[in-house]
Amino acid sequence: MSALCTPVLKHLGSLEYAQCLLSMQDFTARRDEHTPDEIWLCEHPAVFTQGLAGKTEHLLWAGDIPLIASNRGGQITFHGPGQVVAY
């Protein structure tokens, strides 16, 4: 079995959403055909993400939780402590 068939599992703990996004973009830019896929497990401090289909006015009340635009599909998603996210 080649290394490309076995993804690397990384437990990243708590990670700011923006930093995680930059790390994913950097990983993608640096990889080549020999780089194994990675599965990242983490959680984020409270944050709302807005996908390409999202509209700011759909977030009725955010309090002091930041809203970060992303290039993913979907509308608005909440991420927070204790919620495991897999990328």
Side-chain angles (χ1 to χ4, degrees):
M1 180 181 284
S2 76
L4 292 178
C5 293
T6 306
V8 175
L9 181 61
K10 292 193 170 187
H11 298 268
L12 303 176
S14 182
L15 188 62
E16 292 283 341
Y17 179 84
Q19 180 58 46
C20 187
L21 179 59
L22 289 174
S23 295
M24 284 189 283
Q25 291 168 337
D26 181 60
F27 171 74
T28 300
R30 289 183 298 107
R31 69 184 302 186
D32 62 23
E33 67 273 8
H34 303 291
T35 306
D37 290 334
E38 293 186 358
I39 298 171
W40 295 8
L41 299 177
C42 65
E43 64 180 76
H44 302 301
V47 63
F48 288 102
T49 58
Q50 179 180 332
L52 297 173
K55 296 181 181 178
T56 306
E57 61 267 20
H58 290 165
L59 183 58
L60 301 179
W61 185 80
D64 60 354
I65 300 172
L67 173 64
I68 299 176
S70 76
N71 63 354
R72 63 162 175 78
Q75 296 201 11
I76 294 178
T77 302
F78 174 79
H79 302 282
Q83 176 191 35
V84 177
V85 181
Y87 295 109

Coordinates of all heavy atoms in Angstrom, one line a residue:
M1 N 0.9 -1.2 0.0 CA 0.0 0.0 0.0 C 0.9 1.2 0.0 O 1.8 1.3 0.8 CB -0.9 0.0 1.2 CG -1.8 1.2 1.3 SD -2.9 1.2 2.8 CE -4.1 0.0 2.3
S2 N 0.6 2.2 -0.9 CA 1.4 3.4 -0.9 C 1.1 4.4 0.2 O 0.0 4.3 0.7 CB 1.3 4.1 -2.3 OG 0.0 4.7 -2.4
A3 N 2.0 5.3 0.4 CA 1.7 6.3 1.4 C 0.6 7.2 1.1 O -0.1 7.8 1.9 CB 3.0 7.2 1.6
L4 N 0.3 7.3 -0.2 CA -0.8 8.2 -0.7 C -2.2 7.6 -0.3 O -3.2 8.3 -0.2 CB -0.8 8.4 -2.2 CG 0.4 9.3 -2.6 CD1 0.3 9.4 -4.2 CD2 0.3 10.7 -2.0
C5 N -2.2 6.3 0.0 CA -3.5 5.6 0.3 C -3.8 5.7 1.8 O -4.8 5.4 2.3 CB -3.5 4.1 -0.1 SG -3.4 3.9 -1.8
T6 N -2.8 6.1 2.6 CA -2.9 6.1 4.0 C -2.8 7.6 4.5 O -1.6 8.1 4.6 CB -1.8 5.3 4.7 OG1 -1.9 4.0 4.2 CG2 -2.0 5.3 6.2
P7 N -3.9 8.3 4.8 CA -3.8 9.7 5.2 C -3.1 9.8 6.6 O -3.2 8.9 7.4 CB -5.2 10.2 5.2 CG -6.0 8.9 5.3 CD -5.2 7.8 4.7
V8 N -2.5 10.9 6.8 CA -1.9 11.2 8.1 C -3.0 11.9 9.0 O -3.6 12.8 8.5 CB -0.7 12.2 7.9 CG1 -0.1 12.6 9.3 CG2 0.4 11.5 7.0
L9 N -3.2 11.4 10.2 CA -4.2 11.9 11.1 C -3.4 12.9 12.0 O -2.5 12.5 12.7 CB -4.9 10.8 11.8 CG -6.0 11.3 12.8 CD1 -7.1 12.0 12.1 CD2 -6.5 10.0 13.6
K10 N -3.9 14.1 12.1 CA -3.3 15.1 13.0 C -4.3 15.7 14.0 O -5.4 16.1 13.6 CB -2.7 16.3 12.2 CG -1.5 15.9 11.3 CD -0.8 17.1 10.8 CE 0.5 16.7 10.1 NZ 1.3 17.9 9.7
H11 N -3.9 15.6 15.2 CA -4.8 16.2 16.3 C -4.2 17.5 16.6 O -3.1 17.6 17.2 CB -4.7 15.3 17.5 CG -5.3 13.9 17.3 ND1 -6.7 13.6 17.5 CD2 -4.8 12.8 16.8 CE1 -6.9 12.4 17.1 NE2 -5.8 11.8 16.7
L12 N -4.9 18.6 16.3 CA -4.3 20.0 16.4 C -4.8 20.7 17.7 O -4.3 21.8 17.9 CB -4.6 20.8 15.2 CG -4.1 20.1 13.9 CD1 -4.6 21.0 12.7 CD2 -2.6 20.0 13.8
G13 N -5.7 20.1 18.4 CA -6.2 20.8 19.6 C -7.0 22.0 19.3 O -7.7 22.1 18.2
S14 N -7.0 23.1 20.1 CA -7.7 24.3 19.8 C -6.9 25.2 18.9 O -5.7 25.5 19.2 CB -8.0 25.0 21.2 OG -8.8 26.2 20.9
L15 N -7.5 25.7 17.9 CA -6.8 26.5 16.9 C -7.7 27.5 16.3 O -8.9 27.2 16.0 CB -6.4 25.5 15.7 CG -5.4 26.0 14.7 CD1 -4.1 26.4 15.2 CD2 -5.2 24.9 13.6
E16 N -7.3 28.8 16.3 CA -8.1 29.8 15.7 C -8.4 29.5 14.3 O -7.6 28.9 13.5 CB -7.3 31.2 15.7 CG -7.0 31.7 17.1 CD -8.2 32.4 17.7 OE1 -9.2 32.8 16.9 OE2 -8.2 32.6 18.9
Y17 N -9.7 29.8 13.9 CA -10.1 29.4 12.5 C -9.3 30.0 11.5 O -8.9 29.3 10.5 CB -11.6 29.8 12.3 CG -12.1 29.5 11.0 CD1 -12.6 28.3 10.7 CD2 -12.1 30.5 9.9 CE1 -13.0 28.0 9.4 CE2 -12.5 30.2 8.7 CZ -13.0 28.9 8.4 OH -13.4 28.6 7.1
A18 N -8.9 31.3 11.6 CA -8.2 32.0 10.6 C -6.8 31.4 10.4 O -6.3 31.2 9.3 CB -8.0 33.5 10.9
Q19 N -6.1 31.0 11.5 CA -4.8 30.4 11.5 C -4.9 29.0 10.8 O -4.1 28.6 10.1 CB -4.2 30.2 12.9 CG -2.9 29.6 12.9 CD -1.8 30.3 12.0 OE1 -1.7 31.5 12.1 NE2 -1.1 29.6 11.2
C20 N -6.0 28.3 11.2 CA -6.2 26.9 10.6 C -6.3 27.1 9.1 O -5.8 26.3 8.3 CB -7.4 26.3 11.2 SG -7.7 24.6 10.7
L21 N -7.1 28.0 8.6 CA -7.3 28.3 7.2 C -6.0 28.6 6.5 O -5.7 28.0 5.4 CB -8.3 29.4 7.0 CG -8.7 29.8 5.5 CD1 -9.2 28.6 4.8 CD2 -9.6 31.0 5.5
L22 N -5.2 29.4 7.1 CA -3.9 29.8 6.5 C -3.0 28.6 6.4 O -2.3 28.3 5.4 CB -3.2 30.9 7.3 CG -3.8 32.3 7.1 CD1 -3.1 33.3 8.1 CD2 -3.7 32.8 5.7
S23 N -3.0 27.7 7.5 CA -2.2 26.5 7.5 C -2.6 25.5 6.4 O -1.8 24.9 5.8 CB -2.3 25.8 8.9 OG -1.7 26.7 9.9
M24 N -3.9 25.4 6.2 CA -4.4 24.5 5.1 C -4.0 25.0 3.8 O -3.6 24.2 2.9 CB -6.0 24.4 5.2 CG -6.5 23.5 6.3 SD -8.2 23.2 6.2 CE -8.9 24.7 6.9
Q25 N -4.1 26.3 3.6 CA -3.7 26.9 2.3 C -2.2 26.7 2.0 O -1.8 26.4 0.9 CB -4.1 28.4 2.2 CG -5.6 28.6 2.1 CD -6.0 30.0 2.4 OE1 -5.3 30.8 3.0 NE2 -7.2 30.4 1.9
D26 N -1.4 26.9 3.1 CA 0.0 26.7 3.0 C 0.3 25.2 2.7 O 1.2 24.9 1.8 CB 0.7 27.1 4.3 CG 2.2 26.9 4.2 OD1 2.8 27.5 3.3 OD2 2.8 26.2 5.0
F27 N -0.3 24.3 3.4 CA -0.1 22.8 3.1 C -0.4 22.5 1.7 O 0.3 21.8 1.0 CB -1.0 22.0 4.1 CG -1.0 20.5 3.8 CD1 0.1 19.8 4.1 CD2 -2.1 20.0 3.2 CE1 0.1 18.4 3.8 CE2 -2.1 18.6 2.9 CZ -1.0 17.8 3.2
T28 N -1.6 23.0 1.2 CA -2.0 22.7 -0.2 C -1.0 23.3 -1.2 O -0.7 22.6 -2.2 CB -3.4 23.3 -0.4 OG1 -4.3 22.7 0.5 CG2 -3.9 23.0 -1.8
A29 N -0.5 24.5 -0.9 CA 0.5 25.1 -1.9 C 1.8 24.4 -1.9 O 2.5 24.3 -3.0 CB 0.7 26.6 -1.5
R30 N 2.2 23.8 -0.8 CA 3.5 23.1 -0.7 C 3.5 21.6 -1.1 O 4.6 21.1 -1.4 CB 4.1 23.2 0.7 CG 4.5 24.6 1.2 CD 5.1 24.6 2.6 NE 4.1 24.1 3.6 CZ 4.2 23.0 4.2 NH1 5.1 22.1 4.0 NH2 3.3 22.7 5.1
R31 N 2.4 21.0 -1.2 CA 2.3 19.6 -1.4 C 2.6 19.2 -2.9 O 2.4 20.1 -3.8 CB 1.0 19.0 -0.9 CG -0.2 19.3 -1.7 CD -1.4 18.8 -1.0 NE -1.3 17.3 -1.0 CZ -2.3 16.5 -0.6 NH1 -3.4 17.0 -0.2 NH2 -2.1 15.2 -0.6
D32 N 3.0 18.0 -3.1 CA 3.2 17.5 -4.5 C 2.6 16.1 -4.5 O 1.9 15.7 -3.6 CB 4.7 17.5 -4.9 CG 5.6 16.7 -4.0 OD1 5.1 15.7 -3.4 OD2 6.8 16.9 -4.0
E33 N 2.9 15.4 -5.6 CA 2.3 14.1 -5.8 C 2.7 13.0 -4.8 O 2.1 12.0 -4.7 CB 2.5 13.6 -7.3 CG 4.0 13.3 -7.6 CD 4.8 14.5 -8.1 OE1 4.3 15.6 -8.0 OE2 5.9 14.3 -8.5
H34 N 3.8 13.3 -4.0 CA 4.3 12.4 -3.0 C 3.8 12.7 -1.6 O 4.1 12.0 -0.7 CB 5.8 12.4 -3.1 CG 6.4 12.0 -4.4 ND1 6.2 10.8 -5.0 CD2 7.0 12.8 -5.3 CE1 6.8 10.7 -6.2 NE2 7.3 11.9 -6.4
T35 N 3.1 13.8 -1.5 CA 2.6 14.2 -0.1 C 1.4 13.5 0.2 O 0.4 13.5 -0.5 CB 2.3 15.7 -0.1 OG1 3.5 16.5 -0.6 CG2 2.0 16.2 1.3
P36 N 1.4 12.7 1.3 CA 0.2 12.0 1.7 C -0.9 13.0 2.1 O -0.7 14.1 2.6 CB 0.6 11.2 2.9 CG 1.8 11.8 3.4 CD 2.5 12.5 2.3
D37 N -2.2 12.6 1.9 CA -3.3 13.4 2.4 C -3.3 13.4 3.9 O -2.7 12.6 4.5 CB -4.6 12.7 2.0 CG -4.9 12.8 0.5 OD1 -4.4 13.8 -0.2 OD2 -5.6 12.0 -0.1
E38 N -3.8 14.5 4.4 CA -3.9 14.7 5.9 C -5.3 14.9 6.3 O -6.1 15.6 5.6 CB -3.0 15.8 6.3 CG -1.6 15.6 6.1 CD -0.7 16.7 6.7 OE1 -1.2 17.7 7.3 OE2 0.5 16.5 6.6
I39 N -5.7 14.4 7.5 CA -7.0 14.6 8.1 C -6.6 15.4 9.4 O -5.8 14.9 10.2 CB -7.7 13.3 8.5 CG1 -8.0 12.6 7.2 CG2 -9.0 13.7 9.3 CD1 -8.6 11.2 7.5
W40 N -7.2 16.6 9.5 CA -6.9 17.5 10.6 C -8.1 17.5 11.6 O -9.2 17.7 11.1 CB -6.6 18.9 10.2 CG -5.4 19.1 9.4 CD1 -4.6 18.1 8.8 CD2 -4.8 20.3 8.9 NE1 -3.5 18.6 8.1 CE2 -3.7 20.0 8.2 CE3 -5.2 21.6 9.1 CZ2 -2.9 21.0 7.6 CZ3 -4.4 22.6 8.5 CH2 -3.2 22.3 7.8
L41 N -7.9 17.2 12.8 CA -8.9 17.2 13.9 C -8.6 18.4 14.8 O -7.4 18.5 15.3 CB -9.0 15.9 14.7 CG -9.3 14.7 13.9 CD1 -9.3 13.5 14.8 CD2 -10.7 14.8 13.2
C42 N -9.5 19.3 15.0 CA -9.3 20.4 15.9 C -10.6 20.9 16.4 O -11.7 20.4 16.1 CB -8.5 21.5 15.2 SG -9.4 22.3 13.8
E43 N -10.5 22.0 17.2 CA -11.7 22.7 17.6 C -11.3 24.2 17.5 O -10.1 24.5 17.6 CB -12.2 22.4 19.0 CG -11.2 22.7 20.1 CD -11.8 22.3 21.5 OE1 -11.9 21.1 21.8 OE2 -12.3 23.2 22.2
H44 N -12.3 25.1 17.4 CA -12.0 26.5 17.3 C -12.6 27.3 18.4 O -13.7 26.9 18.9 CB -12.6 27.0 15.9 CG -12.1 26.4 14.7 ND1 -10.7 26.3 14.4 CD2 -12.7 25.7 13.7 CE1 -10.6 25.7 13.2 NE2 -11.8 25.3 12.8
P45 N -12.0 28.4 18.8 CA -12.7 29.3 19.7 C -14.0 29.8 18.9 O -14.0 29.7 17.7 CB -11.7 30.4 19.9 CG -10.4 29.8 19.6 CD -10.6 28.8 18.6
A46 N -15.0 30.2 19.6 CA -16.3 30.6 19.0 C -16.0 31.5 17.8 O -15.4 32.5 17.9 CB -17.1 31.3 20.0
V47 N -16.6 31.1 16.7 CA -16.5 31.8 15.4 C -17.7 31.4 14.5 O -18.1 30.3 14.5 CB -15.2 31.6 14.7 CG1 -15.0 30.1 14.3 CG2 -14.9 32.5 13.5
F48 N -18.2 32.3 13.7 CA -19.1 32.1 12.7 C -18.3 32.1 11.3 O -17.5 33.0 11.2 CB -20.3 33.1 12.6 CG -21.3 33.0 13.7 CD1 -21.2 33.8 14.8 CD2 -22.3 32.0 13.7 CE1 -22.1 33.8 15.8 CE2 -23.2 31.9 14.7 CZ -23.1 32.8 15.8
T49 N -18.6 31.2 10.4 CA -18.0 31.3 9.1 C -19.1 31.4 8.1 O -20.2 30.9 8.2 CB -17.2 30.0 8.8 OG1 -18.0 28.9 8.8 CG2 -16.0 29.9 9.7
Q50 N -18.9 32.3 7.1 CA -19.9 32.6 6.1 C -19.4 32.0 4.8 O -18.4 32.5 4.2 CB -20.1 34.1 6.0 CG -21.1 34.5 4.9 CD -21.3 36.0 4.9 OE1 -21.1 36.7 5.9 NE2 -21.6 36.5 3.7
G51 N -20.1 31.1 4.2 CA -19.8 30.5 2.9 C -20.3 31.4 1.8 O -20.9 32.4 2.0
L52 N -20.0 30.9 0.6 CA -20.3 31.7 -0.6 C -21.8 32.0 -0.8 O -22.2 33.0 -1.3 CB -19.8 31.0 -1.9 CG -18.3 30.9 -1.9 CD1 -17.9 30.0 -3.1 CD2 -17.6 32.2 -1.9
A53 N -22.7 31.1 -0.3 CA -24.1 31.3 -0.4 C -24.7 32.1 0.8 O -25.8 32.5 0.8 CB -24.8 30.0 -0.5
G54 N -23.8 32.4 1.8 CA -24.3 33.1 3.0 C -24.5 34.6 2.8 O -23.8 35.2 1.9
K55 N -25.3 35.2 3.5 CA -25.6 36.6 3.6 C -25.4 37.1 5.0 O -26.0 36.5 5.9 CB -27.0 36.9 3.0 CG -27.1 36.6 1.6 CD -28.5 36.9 1.1 CE -28.7 36.5 -0.4 NZ -30.0 36.8 -0.9
T56 N -24.7 38.2 5.2 CA -24.4 38.7 6.5 C -25.7 38.9 7.3 O -25.8 38.7 8.5 CB -23.6 40.0 6.4 OG1 -22.5 39.8 5.6 CG2 -23.3 40.5 7.8
E57 N -26.8 39.4 6.6 CA -28.1 39.6 7.3 C -28.7 38.4 7.8 O -29.7 38.4 8.6 CB -29.0 40.4 6.4 CG -29.4 39.7 5.1 CD -28.5 40.1 3.9 OE1 -27.4 40.6 4.1 OE2 -29.0 39.9 2.8
H58 N -28.3 37.2 7.4 CA -28.8 35.9 7.9 C -28.3 35.7 9.3 O -28.9 34.9 10.0 CB -28.4 34.7 7.0 CG -29.1 34.7 5.7 ND1 -28.7 34.0 4.7 CD2 -30.2 35.5 5.3 CE1 -29.5 34.2 3.6 NE2 -30.4 35.1 4.0
L59 N -27.3 36.3 9.7 CA -26.8 36.2 11.1 C -27.5 37.3 11.9 O -27.1 38.4 11.9 CB -25.3 36.4 11.2 CG -24.6 36.2 12.5 CD1 -24.9 34.8 13.1 CD2 -23.1 36.4 12.4
L60 N -28.5 36.9 12.7 CA -29.4 37.8 13.3 C -28.7 38.5 14.5 O -28.9 39.6 14.8 CB -30.7 37.2 13.8 CG -31.5 36.6 12.6 CD1 -32.8 35.9 13.1 CD2 -31.8 37.6 11.6
W61 N -27.9 37.7 15.3 CA -27.2 38.2 16.4 C -26.0 37.4 16.7 O -26.0 36.2 16.9 CB -28.1 38.2 17.7 CG -27.5 38.9 18.8 CD1 -27.4 40.2 19.1 CD2 -26.8 38.3 20.0 NE1 -26.7 40.5 20.3 CE2 -26.4 39.3 20.8 CE3 -26.6 37.0 20.3 CZ2 -25.7 39.0 22.0 CZ3 -25.9 36.7 21.5 CH2 -25.5 37.7 22.3
A62 N -24.8 38.1 16.7 CA -23.5 37.4 16.9 C -22.9 37.7 18.2 O -21.9 37.1 18.6 CB -22.6 37.6 15.7
G63 N -23.4 38.7 18.8 CA -22.7 39.2 20.1 C -21.3 39.6 19.7 O -21.1 40.3 18.7
D64 N -20.3 39.1 20.5 CA -18.9 39.5 20.2 C -18.2 38.3 19.5 O -17.0 38.3 19.4 CB -18.2 39.9 21.5 CG -18.2 38.7 22.5 OD1 -18.8 37.7 22.3 OD2 -17.5 38.9 23.5
I65 N -18.9 37.4 18.9 CA -18.3 36.3 18.1 C -18.0 36.8 16.7 O -18.9 37.3 16.0 CB -19.3 35.1 18.1 CG1 -19.6 34.6 19.5 CG2 -18.7 34.0 17.2 CD1 -20.7 33.5 19.6
P66 N -16.8 36.6 16.3 CA -16.4 37.1 14.9 C -17.1 36.3 13.8 O -17.5 35.1 14.0 CB -14.9 36.9 14.9 CG -14.6 36.0 15.9 CD -15.7 36.0 17.0
L67 N -17.3 37.0 12.7 CA -17.8 36.3 11.4 C -16.7 36.4 10.4 O -16.2 37.5 10.1 CB -19.1 37.1 10.9 CG -19.6 36.7 9.6 CD1 -20.1 35.2 9.6 CD2 -20.7 37.6 9.2
I68 N -16.3 35.3 9.9 CA -15.2 35.2 8.9 C -15.7 34.7 7.6 O -16.3 33.6 7.6 CB -14.0 34.3 9.4 CG1 -13.5 34.9 10.7 CG2 -13.0 34.2 8.3 CD1 -12.4 34.1 11.3
A69 N -15.5 35.4 6.5 CA -16.0 34.9 5.2 C -15.0 33.8 4.7 O -13.8 33.9 5.0 CB -15.9 36.1 4.2
S70 N -15.6 32.8 4.0 CA -14.7 31.7 3.5 C -15.2 31.4 2.1 O -16.3 31.8 1.7 CB -14.8 30.5 4.4 OG -16.0 29.8 4.2
N71 N -14.4 30.6 1.4 CA -14.7 30.3 0.0 C -15.4 28.9 -0.1 O -15.5 28.4 -1.2 CB -13.4 30.3 -0.9 CG -12.4 29.3 -0.4 OD1 -12.6 28.6 0.6 ND2 -11.3 29.2 -1.2
R72 N -15.9 28.4 1.0 CA -16.6 27.1 0.9 C -18.0 27.4 0.5 O -18.5 28.5 0.5 CB -16.5 26.4 2.3 CG -17.2 27.2 3.4 CD -17.5 26.4 4.6 NE -18.1 27.2 5.6 CZ -19.3 27.7 5.7 NH1 -20.2 27.4 4.7 NH2 -19.8 28.4 6.7
G73 N -18.7 26.3 0.2 CA -20.2 26.4 0.0 C -20.9 26.7 1.2 O -20.4 26.7 2.3
G74 N -22.2 26.8 1.1 CA -23.0 26.9 2.3 C -23.3 28.3 2.8 O -22.9 29.3 2.1
Q75 N -23.9 28.4 3.9 CA -24.3 29.7 4.4 C -23.5 30.1 5.6 O -22.3 30.3 5.5 CB -25.8 29.8 4.7 CG -26.6 29.6 3.4 CD -28.0 30.1 3.4 OE1 -28.4 30.8 4.4 NE2 -28.8 29.8 2.4
I76 N -24.1 30.2 6.8 CA -23.4 30.6 8.0 C -23.3 29.4 8.9 O -24.3 28.7 9.2 CB -24.0 31.8 8.7 CG1 -23.8 33.0 7.8 CG2 -23.4 32.0 10.0 CD1 -24.5 34.3 8.3
T77 N -22.1 29.1 9.5 CA -21.9 27.9 10.4 C -21.2 28.4 11.6 O -20.3 29.3 11.5 CB -21.0 26.9 9.7 OG1 -21.6 26.5 8.5 CG2 -20.8 25.7 10.6
F78 N -21.6 27.9 12.8 CA -21.0 28.2 14.0 C -20.0 27.1 14.4 O -20.3 25.9 14.2 CB -22.0 28.3 15.2 CG -21.4 28.5 16.5 CD1 -20.9 29.7 16.9 CD2 -21.2 27.4 17.4 CE1 -20.3 29.9 18.1 CE2 -20.6 27.6 18.6 CZ -20.1 28.8 19.0
H79 N -18.8 27.5 14.8 CA -17.8 26.6 15.4 C -17.5 27.1 16.8 O -17.4 28.3 17.0 CB -16.5 26.6 14.5 CG -16.7 26.2 13.1 ND1 -16.9 25.0 12.6 CD2 -16.8 27.0 12.0 CE1 -17.1 24.9 11.3 NE2 -17.0 26.2 10.9
G80 N -17.3 26.1 17.7 CA -17.0 26.6 19.0 C -16.3 25.5 19.9 O -16.1 24.4 19.4
P81 N -15.8 25.9 21.1 CA -15.1 25.0 22.0 C -16.0 23.7 22.2 O -17.2 23.8 22.4 CB -15.0 25.8 23.2 CG -15.1 27.2 22.8 CD -16.0 27.2 21.6
G82 N -15.3 22.6 22.2 CA -15.9 21.3 22.4 C -16.5 20.7 21.2 O -16.9 19.5 21.2
Q83 N -16.6 21.4 20.1 CA -17.1 20.9 18.8 C -15.9 20.5 18.0 O -15.1 21.3 17.6 CB -17.9 22.0 18.1 CG -18.3 21.5 16.7 CD -18.9 22.7 15.9 OE1 -18.4 23.8 16.0 NE2 -19.9 22.4 15.1
V84 N -15.8 19.2 17.7 CA -14.6 18.7 16.9 C -14.9 18.9 15.5 O -16.0 18.6 15.0 CB -14.4 17.2 17.2 CG1 -13.3 16.6 16.3 CG2 -14.1 16.9 18.7
V85 N -13.9 19.4 14.8 CA -14.0 19.7 13.4 C -13.0 18.9 12.7 O -11.8 18.7 13.1 CB -13.7 21.2 13.1 CG1 -13.9 21.5 11.6 CG2 -14.7 22.1 13.9
A86 N -13.3 18.2 11.6 CA -12.4 17.4 10.8 C -12.2 18.1 9.4 O -13.2 18.4 8.7 CB -12.9 16.0 10.6
Y87 N -11.0 18.3 9.0 CA -10.7 18.9 7.7 C -9.8 17.9 7.0 O -9.0 17.2 7.5 CB -9.9 20.2 7.8 CG -10.7 21.3 8.5 CD1 -10.3 21.7 9.7 CD2 -11.7 21.9 7.8 CE1 -11.0 22.8 10.3 CE2 -12.4 23.0 8.4 CZ -12.0 23.4 9.7 OH -12.7 24.4 10.2

